């Protein structure tokens, strides 16, 4: 979460410095909504992991409604207040997911050479070398 706050703040600062200060409030609001969505999802997953399967499904479904409400609230606020740019808020909202994908790709490519070495060693072992 700290990485997302720092990244979101840095991007909002860059928007302001670059002359797009009208986009910064929407972006910051989107980052806050995205972080709330991520925290709610994390809490929901932890809670449903210990529930029986029937109750876990109901819990996940109700949690989905709550998390969707965060996105709808973001839309409503961007329509009600002219200072909030909807596209900037949407970009901020998806920053968390984007950072997760980037971190997963970096993790994969950092571990890929090790995987190749293991495959090569396994083939050598199977051939008796």
């Amino acid at each position: 979460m700290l990485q997302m706050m720092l990244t979101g703040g840095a991007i909002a600062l860059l928007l302001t410095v670059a002359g797009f200060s009208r986009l910064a409030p929407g972006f910051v609001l989107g980052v806050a909504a995205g972080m709330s969505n991520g925290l709610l999802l994390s809490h929901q997953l932890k809670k449903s992991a210990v529930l029986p399967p029937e109750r876990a499904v109901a819990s996940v479904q109700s949690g989905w409604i709550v998390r969707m409400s965060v996105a709808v609230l973001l839309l409503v606020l961007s329509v009600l207040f002219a200072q909030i740019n909807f596209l900037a808020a949407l970009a901020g909202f998806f920053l968390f997911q984007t950072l997760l994908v980037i971190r997963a790709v970096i993790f994969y490519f950092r571990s890929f050479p090790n995987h190749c070495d293991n495959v090569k060693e396994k083939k050598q072992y199977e051939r008796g070398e």
Side-chain angles (χ1 to χ4, degrees):
M1 283 297 161
L2 179 63
Q3 180 185 12
M4 184 171 170
M5 288 190 307
L6 293 175
T7 305
I11 292 173
L13 183 63
L14 287 173
L15 285 171
T16 304
V17 169
F20 298 102
S21 59
R22 61 183 177 77
L23 299 178
F27 188 79
V28 169
L29 182 65
V31 168
M35 287 176 53
S36 299
N37 190 34
L39 287 172
L40 286 169
L41 180 60
S42 173
H43 175 71
Q44 190 68 42
L45 289 174
K46 287 177 187 174
K47 189 171 105 176
S48 65
V50 296
L51 292 174
E54 304 82 31
R55 291 193 55 213
V57 170
S59 176
V60 168
Q61 289 173 346
S62 66
W64 180 83
I65 292 170
V66 172
R67 290 185 300 109
M68 186 57 71
S69 299
V70 171
V72 170
L73 180 63
L74 181 65
L75 172 64
V76 168
L77 288 175
S78 66
V79 170
L80 289 178
F81 297 102
Q83 301 90 346
I84 300 172
N85 184 303
F86 175 68
L87 294 177
L90 196 62
F93 185 77
F94 287 109
L95 178 66
F96 182 69
Q97 290 87 344
T98 305
L99 289 176
L100 283 177
V101 168
I102 290 170
R103 288 185 69 180
V105 168
I106 290 170
F107 176 77
Y108 173 76
F109 281 111
R110 282 187 178 164
S111 66
F112 189 70
N114 295 336
H115 176 70
C116 289
D117 290 341
N118 292 339
V119 169
K120 190 184 335 178
E121 289 173 8
K122 182 179 177 186
K123 287 182 180 178
Q124 288 174 348
Y125 176 76
E126 289 172 351
R127 288 189 299 234
E129 297 176 2

